[in-house]
Amino acid sequence: MALSLHAKVLFAVLMILGTRASQSMSRPIMDEEAIVQKHEKWMAHHGRNYQDNEEKERRFQIFKTNLEYIENFNNNATNKTYKLSLNVFADLTDEEFFATYAGFRVPSLPKTNKTTQFKYADQADEAPESIDWREKGVVTSVKDQHHCGCCWAFSAVGAVEGIIRDGVSLSAQQLVDCVSNNYGCNGGTMVNAFEYIIQNQGLASEENYPYTEMQGMCTESNSVAKITGYENVPSNNENALKLAVANQPVSVAIDAYGQSFKLYSGGVFNGDCGTQLTHAVTVVGYGVSSEDGSKYWLIKNSWGDYWGENGYMRLQRDVDAMEGLCGIAMQASYPTVN
């Protein structure tokens, strides 16, 4: 049947609108000069300097790619409860970032000093709906591991600080230098750190054994915090993790690979991540978002307070997968004291 004149006109208008919309979606988010200016301001803000113009151009192209990803995500992502931003990592590729700022290594052998039962198993009826250990005064300030892949040390320190509860910031550097069966800035595990603290009969304060961003010689220092053991949370069990966190901060391994994780700036993270455990953090609480009712884990990271929500991430919890989002429930442990 032939189209009427009115139908032909309407069809033509719709075609034009559709073409314009398509062109708008494919058009760059801003012109090149505007991106150059944004890069310059970003460099000044973060004190970034490059060795030559070739390096600067390479970093600019990476920055541009990350900026386009951020703008497209923030403007177009659906069913996402978080936002991204141009943080200090915006001129790094995912591969560069991953190689530098991760550092968890999956343990190859079971340990012997851990306790054999989950002591919080019978406390399901006692776990509060939410808890934030920062409000209890047992979480110290956010640290920055910089270019040393020792997230495992900061994760372990955060858990020990959470059980000692005297507000003293403990030494991650001592763990980097002295845990012989880890790899310093090239990765390690929290259970090896706990083993060392037990055998060493304590850990020094950060003030007496400060962080240097590199592995050095192990030196003796007065201990200010002692633990007597540690325990693993039953794996692939978010409810067990909740019971543990209800009682104390917990060291966990997660999958932190990807652009969204790298550029996360706030909200409840429900991004794309797998279960390849690559990074270590400390869970210091859990709760429910006032923005949209999403349940989350409160994660203390070691990438400085310029990442995420002043150094923290709210990671979605109670997901369908047994291991939790980003594998958070796969490997978790906490120190114990008598």
Side-chain angles (χ1 to χ4, degrees):
M1 181 181 293
L3 292 173
S4 67
L5 178 61
H6 176 75
K8 290 180 179 178
V9 171
L10 178 60
F11 180 74
V13 171
L14 290 174
M15 286 292 291
I16 292 171
L17 290 175
T19 301
R20 287 180 177 174
S22 176
Q23 291 173 345
S24 176
M25 289 295 291
S26 61
R27 188 181 301 133
I29 56 174
M30 59 183 71
D31 60 44
E32 192 82 356
E33 182 57 33
I35 300 177
V36 168
Q37 292 177 6
K38 186 175 284 287
H39 184 226
E40 292 291 341
K41 290 180 180 179
W42 176 88
M43 288 175 58
H45 178 72
H46 293 289
R48 183 76 90 247
N49 294 301
Y50 302 120
Q51 61 182 4
D52 52 36
N53 288 334
E54 182 179 352
E55 171 69 4
K56 183 176 182 180
E57 175 60 24
R58 189 171 76 86
R59 290 297 164 192
F60 170 75
Q61 293 301 326
I62 297 170
F63 177 89
K64 180 180 175 181
T65 298
N66 282 323
L67 174 60
E68 291 174 347
Y69 180 83
I70 290 167
E71 293 292 329
N72 287 329
F73 178 90
N74 288 343
N75 292 330
N76 302 311
T78 58
N79 301 319
K80 298 299 184 183
T81 54
Y82 64 97
K83 293 292 184 181
L84 308 178
S85 70
L86 287 170
N87 60 26
V88 71
F89 308 123
D91 68 343
L92 299 177
T93 66
D94 293 346
E95 292 75 18
E96 289 172 328
F97 177 78
F98 176 75
T100 302
Y101 291 94
F104 174 78
R105 296 196 178 202
V106 177
S108 58
L109 295 174
K111 292 297 180 178
T112 57
N113 284 356
K114 69 180 181 66
T115 54
T116 57
Q117 64 181 17
F118 180 49
K119 67 179 179 180
Y120 299 129
D122 298 328
Q123 297 186 12
D125 295 335
E126 302 173 18
E129 287 300 311
S130 64
I131 190 167
D132 185 341
W133 284 104
R134 297 175 300 182
E135 298 173 352
K136 311 292 185 180
V138 304
V139 179
T140 62
S141 62
V142 171
K143 309 299 192 303
D144 191 345
Q145 66 188 74
H146 294 284
H147 292 85
C148 175
C150 61
C151 56
W152 58 271
F154 286 97
S155 172
V157 159
V160 175
E161 290 171 346
I163 194 64
I164 300 302
R165 302 183 182 181
D166 60 5
V168 174
S169 185
L170 300 177
S171 176
Q173 186 65 46
Q174 184 177 2
L175 298 179
V176 173
D177 292 347
C178 302
V179 181
S180 59
N181 51 348
N182 275 349
Y183 300 90
C185 290
N186 294 315
T189 69
M190 293 78 79
V191 293
N192 286 347
F194 294 148
E195 289 278 349
Y196 166 79
I197 298 171
I198 295 167
Q199 295 169 6
N200 190 60
Q201 298 185 6
L203 188 66
S205 68
E206 183 179 32
E207 180 179 7
N208 290 332
Y209 205 136
Y211 187 57
T212 64
E213 304 174 28
M214 64 181 69
Q215 185 174 11
M217 295 292 294
C218 180
T219 60
E220 293 185 7
S221 186
N222 293 332
S223 297
V224 298
K226 296 182 179 182
I227 62 174
T228 55
Y230 67 91
E231 185 173 274
N232 292 334
V233 178
S235 62
N236 298 334
N237 188 331
E238 278 201 285
N239 186 58
L241 182 58
K242 178 183 176 181
L243 295 180
V245 178
N247 286 274
Q248 64 186 98
V250 175
S251 286
V252 300
I254 58 174
D255 184 353
Y257 187 80
Q259 231 171 338
S260 292
F261 206 105
K262 176 181 69 178
L263 300 169
Y264 165 80
S265 66
V268 177
F269 186 82
N270 62 344
D272 299 325
C273 54
T275 56
Q276 297 297 313
L277 302 181
T278 57
H279 185 52
V281 294
T282 311
V283 182
V284 296
Y286 57 83
V288 180
S289 169
S290 60
E291 297 98 333
D292 58 15
S294 299
K295 294 182 178 180
Y296 63 83
W297 300 109
L298 180 61
I299 288 175
K300 180 185 181 184
N301 206 344
S302 53
W303 294 341
D305 58 10
Y306 36 71
W307 175 87
E309 296 180 331
N310 298 315
Y312 291 87
M313 169 184 271
R314 287 180 290 162
L315 177 69
Q316 186 180 30
R317 67 180 174 95
D318 290 354
V319 298
D320 292 336
M322 288 178 59
E323 65 271 6
L325 192 68
C326 301
I328 192 171
M330 293 180 67
Q331 289 196 29
S333 55
Y334 54 87
T336 58
V337 294
N338 290 336

